[in-house]
Amino acid sequence: MEVPLALLIGLLTGVATWLMLSRNLIRLLLGFAVLGNAVNLLIFTAGRLTRDVPPIVPLDAEAIEGAFANPLPQALVLTAIVIGFGLLAFALVLAWQAYVRLGTIRTDEMREAEPPEEAKP
């Protein structure tokens, strides 16, 4: 189960890198979202995937015996999903406002704060 997930994580990381190298602001934001999903899968895989085993330890157990699911990666990924969605929504609103005010979503054309080329010494 870990080998297909490792390949999927590598594929998602490659796609995210390709998207983030684009000069299009929307592709850049989508690249960050895909990279966040790749990191979430990496955390799940590092937390040892087990099937049909709940992350619950019986009350009468002295030590954990047998297979068990680690609840820490599940909690971290759930938190990361919520924070990532909120950050993506906020970034998309900022990108929309940049498009409305500047008229473009290409990052190399968003140079309103820089002085023009002929004004540079």
Side-chain angles (χ1 to χ4, degrees), residues 25-67:
L25 190 59
I26 301 301
R27 286 186 185 172
L28 176 75
L29 295 177
L30 289 176
F32 278 120
V34 171
L35 184 63
N37 289 331
V39 170
N40 289 341
L41 282 176
L42 179 67
I43 292 171
F44 261 145
T45 306
R48 287 183 291 140
L49 295 173
T50 55
R51 294 184 138 206
D52 302 327
V53 181
I56 299 171
V57 179
L59 291 175
D60 57 345
E62 293 286 328
I64 298 174
E65 297 174 6

Side-chain angles (χ1 to χ4, degrees), residues 23-25 93-114:
R23 294 176 191 251
N24 188 329
L25 190 59
V93 169
L94 287 179
W96 173 255
Q97 283 299 313
Y99 174 72
V100 167
R101 293 177 189 221
L102 300 175
T104 183
I105 57 171
R106 294 188 50 84
T107 56
D108 56 348
E109 296 173 2
M110 294 181 173
R111 306 215 181 259
E112 193 170 287
E114 296 179 7

Side-chain angles (χ1 to χ4, degrees), residues 6-21:
L7 293 174
L8 181 63
I9 291 167
L11 178 72
L12 286 176
T13 305
V15 168
T17 303
W18 181 76
L19 284 171
M20 288 189 296
L21 289 175

